[in-house]
Amino acid sequence: MPDPQVRTRSGGTTRVPQRALDSFSSAFRGQLLSKHTPGYDAARGIWNAMIDRKPALIARCATADDVALAVRLAGAHDLLVSVRGGGHNIAGNALCDDGLTIDLSAMKAVDVDPSARLARVGPGATLGDVDRATQASGLAVPVGINSTTGIAGLTLGGGFGWLSRSLGLSIDNLVAADVVTADGALLRATASEHPDLFWGIRGGGGNFGIVTSFEFRLHPVGPEVLSGLIVHPLDEAPRVLRFYRDFLKRTPDQFVCWCVLRKAPPLPFLAPEWHGREILALAVCYAGPIADGERIAKPLREYGKPIADVIQPHPFTAWQAVLDPLLTPGVRNYWKSHDFLEVSDGLIDLLVEHARRLPDPQTEIAIAQLGGAVSRVPADATAYAHRDAQFVMNVHGRWEDPAKDAACIGWARQLFEAAAPFATGGVYVNFLTQDEQGRVPAAYGGNYARLVALKKRYDPGNLFRVNQNIGPPA
Ligand SMILES: Cc1cc2nc3c(=O)[nH]c(=O)nc-3n(C[C@H](O)[C@H](O)[C@H](O)COP(=O)(O)OP(=O)(O)OC[C@H]3O[C@@H](n4cnc5c(N)ncnc54)[C@H](O)[C@@H]3O)c2cc1C
């Protein structure tokens, strides 16, 4: 490998001496890739095709010791560092141009202890890896709704999905994490060991170190959950969404319903005349006894005249992957997000109006339902601050043709701005795009000052800066 020129944190470039690379390689159990190594281009591919960054070096780690070695190499030579888990982050923070990417994607092991109801999870595992391993024992931890997402980035930002109203965020079920800090030390963070670090990594992202192992508390779930979609024409959405909002005020925590406004994909259960037309889809999941779910969902299923209702028992792992075909990697994506306390009449009208002029068939407006167990944890118990949010809007600008960038980004920004008067001002850090560094303090609200102090303690040189960065601008 030729001496690579690597970008430094101070903004220049440096040539890492060959002897430093040789000494690194002799201890490193993983694979070190440069721009000339076969496999380099595949290794720098991430979910959002808008991001095209070329690290000078990719250290594909195999062990926690590898991670510590890579951190020490970066520290010794002032290298710009990014950290890659599942590579799903919309802002593309897994990669850095011309720096060192510490790639954890090969560290995928998931070890489940069914009797203790605990799982030890490697930072390269996807949500699908976690669900498959835990469901083999009839157990689960709350994670997100797309099985190819990385457990690491998702958990470090909070992590919510179909189980969160009943079982909390992913971080509410985290009992321990092993963390390589900026000085290359490997620490264990729990409620009693380095509790300040444990507080910070539960929502504060990768700002304080690199997590090399997560330990989660598991819960009995499934193996089947009552779940599926109810689909209405968009013209009915103003009425259905008002009913939906009022209906959800009376449902238990185990019942969750997200909604999506988009053009109908050619799904087999939709009549062909609906393909490509605007629809409202209600996505339901009840993580309790099927018969109870049937009874609770009945009024929602009977409301109006849906064009499809495919709610039925599904294996939990299948339901966790059901949206994957609509969220494939390699497509251009630009997201905007707000938190809401309620879905008000004004917001409903605005959503429907914008859904009538979607700029691309893949673009959608998604509303996730939160609250329940998430809201019962005090706002300062973990770094994740916005426990009060009952609904999170994610404007998924999504398209393939770069010529549509301006139209799709413009539409997403316009909806975001129009919806701002209805929003809390808070935002989920994992939904921030690459141009939203300025919203990081808003993502942490009342917890931000404590996070800045923690950053000074664990990463005073801001080694971990290619992220939604906490503290003074880099
Ligand atoms: C299609 C899709 C669906 C989604 N659905 C949900 C959902 O239902 N619920 C939800 O909560 N979120 C959801 N998200 C958001 C998701 O939580 C974030 O994109 C998250 O950052 C992905 O983590 P990753 O490991 O895949 O990403 P990466 O891009 O690899 O990493 C994200 C960030 O975390 C840092 N990081 C990664 N691993 C580590 C580590 N081990 N130690 C320290 N820092 C690390 C990275 O440096 C980067 O800054 C979704 C995202 C997508 C694209």
Side-chain angles (χ1 to χ4, degrees):
M1 180 188 294
D3 276 6
Q5 288 277 4
V6 186
R7 208 166 133 200
T8 60
R9 272 175 283 151
S10 35
T13 54
T14 187
R15 186 170 285 279
V16 183
Q18 190 59 47
R19 65 176 188 291
L21 284 176
D22 289 345
S23 134
F24 173 82
S25 298
S26 67
F28 191 67
R29 302 257 307 276
Q31 197 188 3
L32 185 63
L33 306 173
S34 75
K35 289 180 181 169
H36 312 288
T37 316
Y40 169 84
D41 270 323
R44 71 178 189 89
I46 56 171
W47 187 79
N48 185 1
M50 292 281 280
I51 313 291
D52 180 26
R53 294 187 191 150
K54 297 189 173 85
L57 292 171
I58 301 176
R60 185 161 269 181
C61 301
T63 64
D65 285 343
D66 279 357
V67 175
L69 274 173
V71 166
R72 282 191 221 112
L73 181 76
H77 299 279
D78 187 34
L79 308 182
L80 180 69
V81 167
S82 69
V83 180
R84 180 198 173 113
H88 251 241
N89 193 266
I90 190 72
N93 286 326
L95 302 175
C96 55
D97 266 330
D98 301 315
L100 166 68
T101 289
I102 301 179
D103 179 355
L104 310 167
S105 60
M107 297 170 67
K108 290 170 82 71
V110 181
D111 296 316
V112 177
D113 179 344
S115 54
R117 290 192 177 163
L118 290 173
R120 203 174 158 79
V121 179
T126 63
L127 308 189
D129 295 330
V130 176
D131 285 332
R132 277 187 297 275
T134 54
Q135 276 288 281
S137 306
L139 300 169
V141 60
V143 293
I145 53 97
N146 176 214
S147 78
T148 61
T149 306
I151 191 73
L154 176 122
T155 301
L156 290 166
F160 58 76
W162 303 116
L163 303 178
S164 294
R165 281 175 47 78
S166 49
L167 300 173
L169 298 171
S170 306
I171 50 169
D172 299 333
N173 295 279
L174 186 70
V175 291
D178 294 339
V179 188
V180 172
T181 46
D183 54 2
L186 179 62
L187 306 182
R188 186 164 170 81
T190 69
S192 54
E193 294 168 81
H194 305 287
D196 54 348
L197 181 60
F198 189 54
W199 179 86
I201 60 169
R202 285 178 293 161
N207 272 283
F208 310 105
I210 302 181
V211 176
T212 58
S213 176
F214 297 87
E215 201 171 315
F216 291 105
R217 185 185 317 115
L218 306 175
H219 307 266
V221 171
E224 290 194 320
V225 290
L226 187 77
S227 51
L229 301 181
I230 307 170
V231 184
H232 291 269
L234 186 69
D235 285 347
E236 295 300 318
R239 272 187 295 278
V240 177
L241 284 174
R242 282 168 171 82
F243 179 83
Y244 157 89
R245 171 207 43 213
D246 297 338
F247 171 76
L248 290 184
K249 289 180 182 150
R250 304 186 299 273
T251 48
D253 290 347
Q254 280 170 308
F255 186 90
V256 178
C257 186
W258 293 22
C259 54
V260 179
L261 298 91
R262 60 168 295 144
K263 287 179 192 283
L267 296 168
F269 56 81
L270 284 176
E273 68 261 30
W274 283 102
H275 297 175
R277 288 166 67 184
E278 289 85 6
I279 51 155
L280 165 71
L282 304 177
V284 168
C285 180
Y286 181 76
I290 301 289
D292 291 355
E294 298 271 14
R295 181 179 43 76
I296 293 161
K298 201 163 181 265
L300 189 63
R301 301 175 76 176
E302 288 178 347
Y303 184 80
K305 289 192 183 140
I307 54 175
D309 175 341
V310 285
I311 295 183
Q312 62 190 67
H314 291 105
F316 179 66
T317 47
W319 176 243
Q320 282 286 92
V322 82
L323 298 175
D324 290 3
L326 298 179
L327 297 167
T328 49
V331 173
R332 301 175 83 73
N333 283 273
Y334 182 85
W335 291 4
K336 293 298 271 188
S337 181
H338 279 306
D339 286 354
F340 300 105
L341 298 181
E342 58 169 5
V343 180
S344 63
D345 287 354
L347 178 63
I348 291 173
D349 294 343
L350 191 75
L351 298 177
V352 173
E353 181 214 319
H354 279 76
R356 288 192 200 290
R357 41 192 181 83
L358 292 161
D360 188 89
Q362 295 199 49
T363 288
E364 61 185 27
I365 308 166
I367 307 279
Q369 186 196 4
L370 281 175
V374 176
S375 299
R376 288 193 287 273
V377 175
D380 62 356
T382 64
Y384 180 99
H386 299 301
R387 300 274 180 177
D388 56 341
Q390 303 297 304
F391 297 94
V392 172
M393 175 181 74
N394 207 343
V395 183
H396 289 165
R398 192 173 153 82
W399 66 100
E400 295 193 28
D401 181 358
K404 294 179 91 173
D405 283 6
C408 293
I409 293 172
W411 174 89
R413 286 183 177 153
Q414 206 183 43
L415 170 51
F416 169 79
E417 274 157 34
F422 303 101
T424 62
V427 62
Y428 179 36
V429 73
N430 274 350
F431 288 167
L432 292 176
T433 50
Q434 67 269 31
D435 56 6
E436 293 191 306
Q437 182 65 38
R439 292 182 82 197
V440 173
Y444 292 112
N447 288 339
Y448 188 65
R450 187 169 163 191
L451 284 163
V452 172
L454 200 64
K455 179 78 176 169
K456 277 192 192 140
R457 174 153 186 217
Y458 281 96
D459 185 18
N462 203 9
L463 179 71
F464 304 115
R465 67 179 61 194
V466 182
N467 47 33
Q468 300 301 349
N469 204 226
I470 288 167

